[in-house]
């Protein structure tokens, strides 16, 4: 028994073809939207590539761009088929291509579903990428005189101001690195010498943060130096008082920004996938309803359309049998080639009569 069998007359076939033609053009615009989303995500990732580890992958944005291009191509082609199906003479040239085209549509829809899932699953890899990239970026914050790193200070500062964050996981990350350049340190000062000597790696570590960590909404002037020294500031206790520094780390802020963006893109991709599936089902019904017309010379006669010619179970069994036959056919061919090789390797005996 055929799956989802529907009876059609000429009027229904015409309406189905016209509806599919319109849906295909909507799908072309959806493909443009998917392409634009991929391009936007790629640009956003490129903007902050300096604070991302080199292992950061552009697989998702590249996949979105590719899916957008393929969607425009596939649906533009399907629109042409639907338009020509209204004329039996024009539709005849597309008949041999419809089955391979529908098979490609199935593969295409599987890829769209896979890319939609990747939009939601990219958070894990992005978390690792940001954690390592921000850690390296903070280490290079002081290298304002080093070629290739001289803009890192500006990048980090702008990032902390824009996303209202501080450090990698929090403001205390700045206590563990030397973020002040040596050119701005007075090495004749006893305080500087003591701090450098007290550190195993000979770094100048302070309980301070860059100015970009300051929260401008705080009523108190920013305390960015001696953050943990209560006696250095009047009426101050850093453990109990609400600090006027951004509490959230930049990794969390960026991860939240990109995750919400990719979740929205994933939802759009699922909607596109559902729409593409409905177009493919409609095209299959149109194809089978036109193929099953009993009398091609009478276009007004009724016909039947279906998704699968047999039930899902029978179709699955048939596919397995075909795969088994294909495997046996390959084994027979290999055996025949081996037998021919053995026969060819035999040397005929020659009898000499004297």
């Amino acid at each position: 028994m055929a799956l989802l069998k529907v009876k059609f007359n000429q009027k229904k076939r015409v309406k189905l073809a016209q509806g599919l033609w319109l849906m295909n053009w909507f799908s072309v615009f959806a493909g443009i939207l998917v392409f634009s989303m991929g391009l936007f995500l790629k640009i956003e990732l490129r903007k902050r590539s300096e604070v991302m580890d080199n292992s950061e992958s552009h697989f998702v944005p590249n996949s979105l761009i590719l899916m957008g291009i393929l969607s425009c191509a596939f649906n533009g082609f399907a629109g042409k088929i639907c338009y020509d199906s209204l004329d039996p003479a024009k539709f005849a040239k597309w008949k041999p291509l419809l089955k391979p085209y529908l098979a490609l549509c199935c593969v295409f829809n599987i890829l769209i579903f896979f890319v939609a899932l990747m939009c939601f699953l990219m958070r894990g890899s992005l978390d690792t990428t940001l954690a390592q990239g921000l850690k390296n970026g903070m280490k290079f914050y002081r290298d304002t005189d080093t070629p290739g790193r001289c803009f890192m200070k500006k990048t980090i500062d702008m990032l902390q101001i824009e996303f209202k964050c501080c450090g990698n996981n929090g403001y205390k990350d700045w206590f563990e690195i030397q973020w002040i350049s040596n050119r701005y340190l007075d090495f004749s000062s006893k305080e500087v010498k003591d701090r450098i000597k007290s550190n195993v790696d000979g770094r100048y570590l302070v309980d301070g943060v860059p100015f970009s960590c300051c929260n401008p909404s705080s009523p108190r002037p920013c305390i960015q130096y001696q953050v943990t020294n209560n006696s250095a500031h009047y009426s101050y206790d850093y453990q109990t008082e609400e600090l006027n520094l951004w509490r959230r780390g930049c990794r969390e802020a960026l991860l939240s920004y990109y995750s919400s963006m990719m979740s929205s893109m994933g939802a759009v991709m699922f909607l596109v996938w559902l729409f593409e599936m409905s177009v493919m089902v409609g095209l299959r019904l149109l194809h089978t309803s036109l193929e099953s017309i009993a009398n091609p010379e009478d276009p007004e006669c009724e016909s039947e359309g279906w998704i699968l010619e047999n039930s899902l179970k029978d179709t699955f069994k048939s596919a397995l049998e075909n795969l088994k036959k294909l495997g046996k056919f390959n084994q027979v061919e290999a055996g025949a080639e081996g037998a021919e090789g053995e026969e060819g390797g035999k040397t005929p005996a020659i009898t000499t009569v004297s």
Side-chain angles (χ1 to χ4, degrees):
M1 183 178 176
L3 179 66
L4 197 62
K5 185 182 285 187
V6 183
K7 285 188 176 182
F8 288 92
N9 54 30
Q10 187 188 20
K11 188 177 179 180
K12 285 185 177 180
R13 286 193 296 267
V14 169
K15 283 186 176 179
L16 178 61
Q18 289 174 341
L20 284 173
W21 178 83
L22 189 61
M23 288 176 71
N24 275 293
W25 282 110
F26 275 121
S27 295
V28 169
F29 289 119
I32 295 170
L33 175 62
V34 171
F35 176 84
S36 302
M37 288 193 309
L39 197 60
F40 176 74
L41 181 58
K42 194 173 184 67
I43 291 170
E44 285 297 305
L45 290 172
R46 289 283 184 190
K47 275 184 185 177
R48 296 169 184 94
S49 59
E50 292 178 345
V51 292
M52 291 183 177
D53 189 40
N54 290 331
S55 62
E56 182 266 322
S57 173
H58 284 262
F59 175 76
V60 171
N62 289 341
S63 299
L64 288 171
I65 290 170
L66 179 62
M67 288 299 104
I69 294 171
L70 289 177
S71 179
C72 292
F74 271 88
N75 290 291
F77 183 70
K80 175 63 175 172
I81 292 174
C82 294
Y83 182 80
D84 287 349
S85 66
L86 299 173
D87 185 352
K90 290 182 179 179
F91 182 72
K93 66 180 180 182
W94 297 116
K95 280 186 179 180
L97 299 174
L98 273 174
K99 281 189 178 179
Y101 174 75
L102 286 168
L104 286 175
C105 282
C106 289
V107 176
F108 175 64
N109 283 312
I110 291 170
L111 290 176
I112 288 180
F113 184 79
F114 176 71
V115 172
L117 281 179
M118 287 303 298
C119 288
F120 292 103
L121 299 176
M122 191 181 171
R123 181 185 173 94
S125 61
L126 193 60
D127 190 7
T128 307
T129 294
L130 286 169
Q132 189 60 41
L134 282 166
K135 186 178 179 181
N136 294 334
M138 289 171 65
K139 285 180 182 178
F140 302 145
Y141 182 88
R142 63 173 181 164
D143 297 339
T144 52
D145 298 327
T146 306
R149 301 176 187 171
C150 54
F151 294 107
M152 187 57 71
K153 178 184 180 300
K154 180 182 177 182
T155 300
I156 296 289
D157 283 334
M158 294 301 295
L159 178 70
Q160 293 188 146
I161 292 170
E162 181 182 354
F163 286 91
K164 299 179 180 180
C165 59
C166 184
N168 190 346
N169 299 305
Y171 69 92
K172 289 185 179 179
D173 292 338
W174 289 107
F175 300 172
E176 300 171 4
I177 63 170
Q178 180 182 338
W179 55 273
I180 301 174
S181 176
N182 287 338
R183 67 182 293 189
Y184 301 113
L185 295 177
D186 182 8
F187 288 96
S188 62
S189 170
K190 184 178 181 301
E191 182 189 351
V192 173
K193 287 180 180 179
D194 291 344
R195 283 189 179 275
I196 292 175
K197 286 179 182 178
S198 65
N199 185 265
V200 177
D201 298 326
R203 295 177 296 170
Y204 181 75
L205 303 183
V206 294
D207 55 343
V209 296
F211 78 97
S212 53
C213 283
C214 295
N215 181 359
S217 301
S218 174
R220 182 168 186 157
C222 184
I223 297 175
Q224 65 178 110
Y225 294 108
Q226 297 184 351
V227 175
T228 59
N229 187 358
N230 292 334
S231 60
H233 313 283
Y234 177 74
S235 184
Y236 175 75
D237 186 353
Y238 86 97
Q239 291 183 335
T240 59
E241 186 176 345
E242 184 71 25
L243 294 179
N244 50 8
L245 304 176
W246 300 119
R247 292 282 188 173
R248 189 168 62 161
C250 290
R251 179 180 62 84
E252 182 187 345
L254 281 171
L255 190 62
S256 175
Y257 173 72
Y258 283 118
S259 295
S260 61
M261 184 190 302
M262 287 185 292
S263 296
S264 301
M265 291 181 178
V268 171
M269 286 299 293
F270 271 120
L271 291 175
V272 171
W273 174 71
L274 290 172
F275 196 74
E276 291 287 351
M277 287 293 291
S278 63
V279 171
M280 186 179 69
V281 168
L283 192 61
R284 174 62 176 168
L285 287 172
L286 179 65
H287 169 226
T288 51
S289 66
L290 290 170
E291 286 281 339
S292 62
I293 292 176
N295 184 10
E297 295 180 359
D298 182 17
E300 295 184 4
C301 66
E302 290 189 350
S303 63
E304 291 183 338
W306 57 81
I307 303 300
L308 295 175
E309 192 171 358
N310 300 313
S311 64
L312 193 62
K313 186 178 179 181
D314 292 339
T315 303
F316 184 70
K317 284 183 179 179
S318 177
L320 284 178
E321 287 176 3
N322 289 333
L323 286 174
K324 287 179 181 177
K325 286 179 182 178
L326 184 64
K328 288 179 181 178
F329 180 72
N330 290 335
Q331 287 177 3
V332 169
E333 278 193 342
E337 287 176 2
E340 286 177 5
E342 287 177 4
E343 289 177 4
K346 291 179 181 178
T347 305
I350 300 173
T351 305
T352 306
V353 180
S354 56

